[in-house]
Amino acid sequence: MTQPDSARAWRFTLCMVGVLTILRLAALFATPFELYPDEAQYWLWSRTLDFGYFSKPPMIAWLIWATTSVGGDSEAWVRISALFLHAGAALVISRIADRLYGGWTGLAAAALYILMPGIQLSSGVITTDAPLLFFLSLTIWSYVSLPTLEARRRLPVAAALGAALGLAFLSKYAAVYVLAGLAAHLAASREARQVWTLPMAAAALAALAIVFAPNLIWNLTHQFATLEHTASNANWNAASLFNIRELMEFIGSQFGVFGPIPFAVLAGGAIWLGVRGKLETADLLMLCLAAPPLLTVAAQAFVSRANANWAGVAYIAGSILAAAWLLRWNARRWLIAAVAIQAAFCAVFIACMVNPRIADNLGAANSFKRVRGWEQGAQTIIARAREEQAAGGLSSIAMDDRFLFNVTAYYGRDYFKTPGAPPLKMWVHEARPQNQAETEAPLNAEFGRRALIASLEGDYRPEIEQDFTKTSGLEIVRVRLDRKHVRRTDLFIAEDFRPLPRDPVTGLPPKPKGER
């Protein structure tokens, strides 16, 4: 491709990403959707900056701290970094594809990425995926740039590669897939190995170690809490190993995450070109990066379970490969169809964000129920707390569910700042804490003298009642989320907290009388 064509493709890419980001930004500030509980948890982490947290590395808390320091604690400012990080990742992906395949492939790859259904969803909320994909795209860009640089300029770029990879690890440990992919490519490609020197490798590893070291030290001083939680997500329970259904559901979900045409092209092209031995040099690199997360998470789905987004790392390289192959095969109509389908989904999603009634009318209300009704529920809990404070005082407000704890902390943030407000605590269900709320704010005898208990859906109310000598004043609060769904919270006063011993084998409290 000529230089003018490449520059023209880059201008189109900038315009496309810029316009879409502005639309998403407008929708973010217009949407009535509330924070869902994990987002509220990340906001809560951002109030106390650290180098690690119970279930995630620290990057997401740092980002929320930065954006809310500028704009305040509203939902939009909690989430705003995600859409800019995805926009940045799309631009970097364009540069990677331009370097490997040409400018028009860069435009197509950026379009497939920024319009990907999974990215559209991730741009409207704050999750660890946004910083992970941005920093990994910088890592890959550094890697593909090395062969084109003069020898004297390669050392600082290698160090930048290590630093970007370290920042990706501070975002989410799924960054290990790209590390494995780069190692696989170096093992498979002699030309790639020839680019690297011992000082370059040392610079990259040193930068990675320096950036990642604070989180590693945090884990060392916290019994490897984050790493243990990440491992526990695998849920390798021998009683439920080997699930064909889970595997098929995961594979099917990738058509929804990446888009039906791009995923079909990626999977089909990898098999067809691999079997026929027609992979180009750039194809090999991109497959080394896309295959590890897809194959590993598919295996995880087969032996246990897997969430649809766990293989999201694959779609940095996947967007580039799908675009490159569609253009190489002169399948421009399929490329246009892929972009059009994903643009249509993007438009509908943005419309639903701005006006939730559209989602209700489309029968998609269930998809948005986790971002509805939390503020109303939290304010009801606070109103009851004010009444009880006036009547007899409270030693705490205690929850039995981390979701309820997180959203009450966020939507009750002004109340909990007032002098004399009872602290927010978490009833610990098992012998060991299972989340950050149970670790940092466990209910104990001091705070359980006279507590207002909020039990989500009333699931654990019988078990909680066993841990107190007296309970009274049951109130059942129901918040309507849409035409079909209602969220229930049981509120009651509990006095004299004396938790029963947990089973030494299961870690669970004894079953209430009358239950088997």
Side-chain angles (χ1 to χ4, degrees), residues 5 22 35 49 167 180-181 202 212 285 349 353 370 398 462:
D5 280 345
I22 291 171
L35 294 191
L49 294 183
L167 291 170
F212 185 51
L285 168 58
F349 188 90
M353 283 184 65
R370 288 184 67 186

Side-chain angles (χ1 to χ4, degrees), residues 315-438:
Y315 298 128
I316 299 173
S319 298
I320 297 170
L321 276 177
W325 288 343
L326 285 168
L327 289 174
R328 186 186 305 167
W329 301 335
N330 291 317
R332 287 176 173 78
R333 290 183 179 178
W334 284 103
L335 176 59
I336 292 170
V339 171
I341 290 171
Q342 300 191 179
F345 173 84
C346 177
V348 171
F349 188 90
I350 289 175
C352 290
M353 283 184 65
V354 175
N355 185 356
R357 289 184 179 179
I358 295 175
D360 296 345
N361 293 333
L362 292 173
N366 189 52
S367 301
F368 295 96
K369 68 180 181 181
R370 288 184 67 186
V371 289
R372 286 174 154 177
W374 296 111
E375 182 174 13
Q376 182 181 344
Q379 294 306 323
T380 302
I381 293 170
I382 290 167
R384 174 71 182 270
R386 292 184 190 277
E387 293 174 4
E388 296 296 339
Q389 278 183 286
L394 289 174
S395 57
S396 66
I397 302 172
M399 311 291 170
D400 70 347
D401 184 277
R402 70 179 182 90
F403 279 13
L404 197 56
F405 180 95
N406 295 330
V407 295
T408 302
Y410 176 76
Y411 286 108
R413 58 191 182 275
D414 293 333
Y415 169 72
F416 290 113
K417 292 177 184 177
T418 59
L424 187 63
K425 295 294 177 179
M426 185 76 181
W427 174 72
V428 181
H429 180 225
E430 301 184 23
R432 293 181 57 194
Q434 301 299 307
N435 52 64
Q436 182 121 3
E438 292 183 1

Side-chain angles (χ1 to χ4, degrees), residues 126-407:
I126 182 67
T127 71
T128 53
D129 289 333
L132 172 72
L133 295 176
F134 174 70
F135 289 121
L136 286 182
S137 65
L138 291 178
T139 303
I140 298 168
W141 191 21
S142 300
Y143 186 81
V144 303
S145 298
L146 285 171
T148 67
L149 299 175
E150 299 175 2
R152 62 184 178 82
R153 296 181 58 194
R154 289 179 178 176
L155 187 65
V157 174
L161 184 156
L165 186 56
L167 291 170
F169 270 104
L170 291 180
S171 303
K172 192 174 184 178
Y173 296 147
V176 71
Y177 291 128
V178 164
L179 182 60
L182 295 179
H185 184 249
L186 287 170
S189 172
R190 181 181 178 184
E191 292 80 4
R193 292 194 300 273
Q194 289 175 339
V195 172
W196 285 81
T197 63
L198 188 59
M200 288 170 59
L205 291 174
L208 169 59
I210 290 169
V211 173
F212 185 51
N215 181 246
L216 183 59
I217 294 170
W218 184 92
N219 271 285
L220 282 168
T221 58
H222 289 79
Q223 294 76 50
F224 289 95
T226 313
L227 291 171
E228 183 179 341
H229 173 82
T230 302
S232 70
N233 276 340
N235 192 34
W236 285 12
N237 184 345
S240 61
L241 292 179
F242 311 120
N243 300 289
I244 293 293
R245 179 178 177 180
E246 289 285 343
L247 173 61
M248 299 310 295
E249 286 181 355
F250 169 74
I251 293 173
S253 72
Q254 299 312 293
F255 287 93
V257 171
F258 191 31
I261 294 176
F263 185 70
V265 170
L266 177 61
I271 295 171
W272 185 64
L273 293 176
V275 169
R276 297 188 54 153
K278 292 189 176 183
L279 291 172
E280 295 186 358
T281 301
D283 297 347
L284 176 63
L285 168 58
M286 292 294 102
L287 272 180
C288 283
L289 294 169
L294 284 170
L295 295 178
T296 302
V297 180
Q300 161 66 26
F302 179 60
V303 300
S304 177
R305 63 179 183 85
N307 291 341
N309 70 315
W310 285 3
V313 170
Y315 298 128
I316 299 173
S319 298
I320 297 170
L321 276 177
W325 288 343
L326 285 168
L327 289 174
R328 186 186 305 167
W329 301 335
N330 291 317
R332 287 176 173 78
R333 290 183 179 178
W334 284 103
L335 176 59
I336 292 170
V339 171
I341 290 171
Q342 300 191 179
F345 173 84
C346 177
V348 171
F349 188 90
I350 289 175
C352 290
M353 283 184 65
V354 175
N355 185 356
R357 289 184 179 179
I358 295 175
D360 296 345
N361 293 333
L362 292 173
N366 189 52
S367 301
F368 295 96
K369 68 180 181 181
R370 288 184 67 186
V371 289
R372 286 174 154 177
W374 296 111
E375 182 174 13
Q376 182 181 344
Q379 294 306 323
T380 302
I381 293 170
I382 290 167
R384 174 71 182 270
R386 292 184 190 277
E387 293 174 4
E388 296 296 339
Q389 278 183 286
L394 289 174
S395 57
S396 66
I397 302 172
M399 311 291 170
D400 70 347
D401 184 277
R402 70 179 182 90
F403 279 13
L404 197 56
F405 180 95
N406 295 330
V407 295

Side-chain angles (χ1 to χ4, degrees), residues 78-130:
V78 171
R79 292 167 166 161
I80 196 170
S81 63
L83 63 89
F84 287 113
L85 287 166
H86 282 309
L91 295 177
V92 176
I93 285 169
S94 174
R95 305 318 292 162
I96 297 168
D98 185 5
R99 193 165 298 255
L100 295 176
Y101 297 101
W104 295 117
T105 302
L107 171 61
L112 292 179
Y113 176 86
I114 200 70
L115 293 171
M116 193 189 312
I119 297 302
Q120 174 57 49
L121 174 61
S122 184
S123 296
V125 296
I126 182 67
T127 71
T128 53
D129 289 333

